[in-house]
């Protein structure tokens, strides 16, 4: 496997059509707010918000700016932890598998495309 590439970025490139622009289009931002922020609010924000968010990840303040290296790194971690079943933790209510799949399938190719664009610019 190429150095620095994660399993999901490879899978996203093969299985899903990646977007070429690192910044999300207005309709992507709208879709994220409508479809995925409620998921995050229900399953994630309770622990990942406030003055001392778990894992130092505050999802209420995390921008969906995938061109930003830090934000992209955090969203990468979100996708990886959700896909691996690490989050939400076992003692918390679990979302349906299709909810996780829908979010990770939507976010993964966008993160991968932004990462590809950033690497090409180096």
């Amino acid at each position: 496997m190429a150095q620095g590439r994660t399993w999901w970025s490879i899978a996203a490139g093969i299985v899903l059509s990646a977007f070429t622009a690192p910044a999300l289009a207005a309709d992507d931002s709208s879709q994220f707010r409508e479809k995925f922020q409620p998921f995050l609010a229900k399953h994630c924000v309770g622990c990942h918000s406030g003055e001392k968010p778990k894992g130092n990840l505050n999802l209420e303040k995390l921008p969906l700016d995938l061109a930003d290296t830090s934000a992209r790194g955090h969203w990468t971690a979100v996708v990886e932890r959700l896909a691996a079943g690490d989050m939400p933790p076992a003692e918390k209510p679990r979302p349906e598998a299709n909810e996780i799949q829908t979010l990770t399938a939507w976010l993964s190719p966008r993160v991968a495309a932004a990462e590809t664009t950033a690497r090409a610019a180096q």
Side-chain angles (χ1 to χ4, degrees):
M1 186 177 305
Q3 184 179 8
R5 294 187 70 186
T6 58
W7 64 267
W8 65 264
S9 66
I10 294 168
I14 295 169
V15 178
L16 301 169
S17 61
F19 292 76
T20 57
L24 293 179
D27 58 326
D28 279 347
S29 294
S30 176
Q31 186 178 19
F32 181 82
R33 278 192 311 278
E34 292 171 17
K35 276 183 93 172
F36 303 118
Q37 276 185 334
F39 172 92
L40 295 172
K42 181 177 179 181
H43 297 288
C44 309
V45 171
C47 294
H48 295 285
S49 64
E51 300 248 345
K52 294 184 180 181
K54 297 273 184 172
N56 203 26
L57 174 64
N58 189 332
L59 290 172
E60 288 183 318
K61 294 184 179 180
L62 181 59
L64 194 62
D65 178 5
L66 300 180
D68 177 84
T69 303
S70 177
R72 188 172 60 253
H74 286 299
W75 285 115
T76 298
V78 167
V79 168
E80 289 174 344
R81 300 291 302 270
L82 284 170
D86 296 337
M87 288 289 144
E91 67 274 7
K92 299 290 183 183
R94 304 291 301 172
E96 296 292 324
N98 67 330
E99 291 179 288
I100 293 172
Q101 169 60 29
T102 299
L103 172 58
T104 58
W106 184 89
L107 193 52
S108 291
R110 289 160 175 84
V111 172
E115 183 65 28
T116 299
T117 301
R119 287 178 188 222
Q122 292 179 347

